Amino acid sequence: PQDEVGQLANTFNSMLSRIQDAFQKVEHSLEMQRNFVADVSHELRTPLTTLRGNLGLMRRDLPPEERTDIVNDMVDESDRLIRLVNELLLLARADAGRSLAKEALDASAVLEEACRQARQLDLQRQINLEVPAALSILGDRDAFKQVALILLDNALKHSSGNINVTAKKTGKQVEIRVQDFGEGIPADKLEHVFDRFYRGDDTSTIPGFGLGLPIAKTLVEAQGGEIILESQVGKGSTVILRFHVAE
């Protein structure tokens, strides 16, 4: 009955429900943290093990050419560690929820700059840019450029043909597309591409740690935007960004 006792019972039930929801959220957060630490430990272990093994070999009396190969291997693994730590720091700053500026910026100019830099990564590849002049969005310039570079680098790694970058205004949003013509991603793996440290079975020979797209997703959402990945096996993949138009 809806008397005082009934109202008190309803209040207690509502409170318990909220406590249960909060507990489940905390448990999920802790589980994600445990998985993240396990993944980081796994990624760090490989280059550290290689470095330790090579240092052990260096203590032996080896021919000069073998010592040169070992030193080169150690330099490569050290560079890999530096790249991993840099990506983890970037991800940590994004996770910390640091406030990103949401101000008017010229997306056309930033995309042109990012494409020019990305072309230096592979001088044999074509990166075609087709965007209107002075296309203005709300966002953070540094974060937006970081996202653009991540997507272009990802497209270069996972395809061998040209890459198309287009942008257009649709209503109160600006839609940006980065399209490659690689092998594409199967539907069962597509839902995991934004998971941290996730890498498909066919990417074992491609450098990287599976952090690029998760970092891009975190940065895009921190600017109030949206990121989607569409892909077809044998045809390629397209990453779609949507940002608010700056009036």
Side-chain angles (χ1 to χ4, degrees):
Q2 291 303 308
D3 53 15
E4 292 181 354
V5 176
Q7 292 176 9
L8 180 62
N10 288 334
T11 301
F12 268 107
N13 287 337
S14 178
M15 179 184 68
L16 289 171
S17 178
R18 289 197 298 271
I19 291 174
Q20 184 178 14
D21 290 342
F23 176 79
Q24 289 176 345
K25 289 178 181 178
V26 170
E27 183 66 24
H28 178 65
S29 177
L30 290 173
E31 181 65 23
M32 289 182 64
Q33 289 182 27
R34 285 192 290 267
N35 292 339
F36 183 67
V37 170
D39 289 336
V40 171
S41 301
H42 174 75
E43 291 292 337
L44 288 171
R45 186 184 300 118
T46 302
L48 287 174
T49 302
T50 302
L51 285 171
R52 179 63 184 86
N54 284 335
L55 285 171
L57 291 173
M58 291 287 287
R59 299 173 69 176
R60 302 178 183 177
D61 186 15
L62 298 174
E65 59 274 10
E66 288 189 29
R67 296 180 72 87
T68 300
D69 291 340
I70 291 173
V71 170
N72 290 336
D73 192 26
M74 292 172 68
V75 170
D76 290 341
E77 290 301 313
S78 298
D79 289 341
R80 184 173 176 228
L81 271 174
I82 292 171
R83 289 195 302 272
L84 175 58
V85 170
N86 286 338
E87 290 194 9
L88 289 172
L89 288 173
L90 180 59
L91 192 59
R93 285 197 295 267
D95 279 347
R98 66 184 181 93
S99 57
L100 294 178
K102 293 180 182 178
E103 55 191 14
L105 64 93
D106 187 347
S108 304
V110 176
L111 288 173
E112 184 176 350
E113 184 179 330
C115 288
R116 184 173 64 251
Q117 293 180 7
R119 290 186 185 104
Q120 301 305 312
L121 300 175
D122 189 341
L123 298 177
Q124 307 302 318
R125 304 280 293 279
Q126 279 287 105
I127 299 179
N128 304 311
L129 178 64
E130 186 178 336
V131 299
L135 192 61
S136 188
I137 66 170
L138 284 177
D140 180 285
R141 191 185 191 282
D142 290 341
F144 178 69
K145 183 180 177 182
Q146 180 71 40
V147 170
L149 288 172
I150 287 173
L151 299 185
L152 289 168
D153 180 62
N154 207 52
L156 286 170
K157 287 178 180 176
H158 294 278
S159 67
S160 57
N162 294 345
I163 296 166
N164 296 335
V165 180
T166 60
K168 63 179 180 180
K169 181 179 177 182
T170 56
K172 294 185 177 181
Q173 288 187 322
V174 169
E175 183 176 281
I176 300 162
R177 290 174 173 258
V178 179
Q179 181 183 23
D180 68 60
F181 301 92
E183 293 299 318
I185 303 170
D188 61 322
K189 297 179 180 178
L190 194 58
E191 59 182 309
H192 299 291
V193 293
F194 293 109
D195 294 346
R196 295 171 184 185
F197 292 104
Y198 176 78
R199 305 187 73 213
D201 298 335
D202 56 345
T203 60
S204 57
T205 59
I206 298 174
F209 308 101
L211 289 174
L213 287 178
I215 291 173
K217 184 176 188 294
T218 303
L219 291 177
V220 168
E221 291 178 349
Q223 297 173 81
E226 179 186 16
I227 181 169
I228 300 169
L229 192 148
E230 297 178 347
S231 187
Q232 285 185 286
V233 176
K235 293 186 177 181
S237 303
T238 302
V239 179
I240 304 169
L241 305 176
R242 294 192 180 100
F243 290 92
H244 294 295
V245 172
E247 299 297 342

